[in-house]
Amino acid sequence: MSAALALGDDALVLSHRLGEWAGHAPVLEEEVALANIALDLLGQARILFSLVGDEDELAYLREERAFRNLQLVEQPNGDFAHTIARQLYFSTYQLFLYEQLAAGKSAFAPLAAKAVKEVAYHQDHAEHWTLRLGDGTAESRARMRQGCAALWKFTGEMFQPVEGLDVDHQALEARWRDAIGEVLERATLTVPEGPRSGAWAAGAGRQGLHTEPFGRMLAEMQHLHRSHPGATW
């Protein structure tokens, strides 16, 4: 499995999920914020795919089992709190991952160095909303707690080794756990209960095994390209 493909698929799939909020975000400001984050991720995906092959073919012509994204990023948006929980988990992981890559000498170092600033914004945005919802009304707190709990089982996959990705996964996981725990504590929430690393309940996206919602999302994402092969705009 290509590490570039795995990271590119993460960015592409989450970009599409965030794009689904267009016209549906709770406030206009969030419409713009989520769209900007989606575009940042799409830009990352394009660069990563260019290291592997043709970006359009990789995005629009592969079958479901050929995608290597984390199961976390393919999960449906749910309500706004659910989306924020997914974003908090992933953007915190991605920030720490890119910081490690930027400090190394691999082919990913230039991309990671450029992407760190925008990913830091993604993480800050998710943290801000986690605090706002978790320490808000009884309803917002309940929804934020439910989102964090529902997605927790998918987070262990982020720390499984990926061939060609030269990072310290144990250090990455430890730092991620500390950061997530600190944010949730400030938000008057608790870290969800669940199996520890190595026995977490879900996560085979890196092996091409995906959850049911992914197939529907992929069909929607690829429909136009497959319906008009070779079309130019």
Side-chain angles (χ1 to χ4, degrees):
M1 174 183 57
S2 166
L5 192 62
L7 298 183
D9 284 347
D10 287 345
L12 175 68
V13 172
L14 186 55
S15 173
H16 187 83
R17 280 299 190 204
L18 292 174
E20 292 175 343
W21 275 104
H24 303 285
V27 293
L28 182 59
E29 183 179 7
E30 279 310 296
E31 188 100 359
V32 175
L34 293 175
N36 283 336
I37 294 172
L39 287 173
D40 287 343
L41 291 168
L42 184 60
Q44 294 172 20
R46 294 188 64 184
I47 294 172
L48 287 160
F49 285 164
S50 72
L51 300 175
V52 182
D54 181 88
E55 61 188 69
D56 287 338
E57 290 184 5
L58 290 169
Y60 299 124
L61 297 179
R62 278 184 296 158
E63 300 297 330
E64 179 178 330
R65 289 293 297 270
F67 278 79
R68 293 296 184 262
N69 58 278
L70 297 164
Q71 288 185 356
L72 173 66
V73 298
E74 70 192 38
Q75 297 310 302
N77 289 326
D79 62 19
F80 185 65
H82 196 101
T83 288
I84 292 301
R86 184 185 64 200
Q87 195 65 35
L88 177 70
Y89 289 162
F90 179 76
S91 61
T92 303
Y93 154 77
Q94 193 184 40
L95 175 61
F96 296 162
L97 172 66
Y98 277 12
E99 285 179 346
Q100 277 202 37
L101 291 174
K105 297 181 179 180
S106 73
F108 301 111
L111 164 67
K114 292 181 179 179
V116 161
K117 289 185 179 180
E118 62 188 23
V119 176
Y121 163 72
H122 303 171
Q123 192 279 333
D124 182 70
H125 176 268
E127 179 177 327
H128 165 80
W129 274 106
T130 301
L131 297 174
R132 186 172 178 180
L133 295 173
D135 198 22
T137 66
E139 178 69 15
S140 71
R141 185 173 186 274
R143 286 176 179 262
M144 195 67 225
R145 183 173 63 247
Q146 290 166 4
C148 289
L151 294 168
W152 182 253
K153 64 183 179 180
F154 297 105
T155 57
E157 186 181 14
M158 297 187 293
F159 310 108
Q160 295 175 2
V162 175
E163 184 179 354
L165 202 58
D166 186 19
V167 295
D168 186 338
H169 288 88
Q170 289 186 336
L172 182 64
E173 179 181 357
R175 189 181 177 194
W176 182 89
R177 280 185 172 274
D178 288 344
I180 293 298
E182 189 269 339
V183 171
L184 294 182
E185 181 179 5
R186 288 166 55 206
T188 68
L189 300 167
T190 57
V191 174
E193 295 182 0
R196 298 290 294 178
S197 177
W200 293 27
R206 294 288 192 232
Q207 287 73 50
L209 301 177
H210 299 282
T211 55
E212 184 178 351
F214 181 65
R216 296 192 295 271
M217 190 216 82
L218 190 63
E220 179 183 89
M221 186 179 78
Q222 295 182 339
H223 173 73
L224 183 62
H225 188 90
R226 289 179 178 270
S227 297
H228 304 278
T232 57
W233 307 91

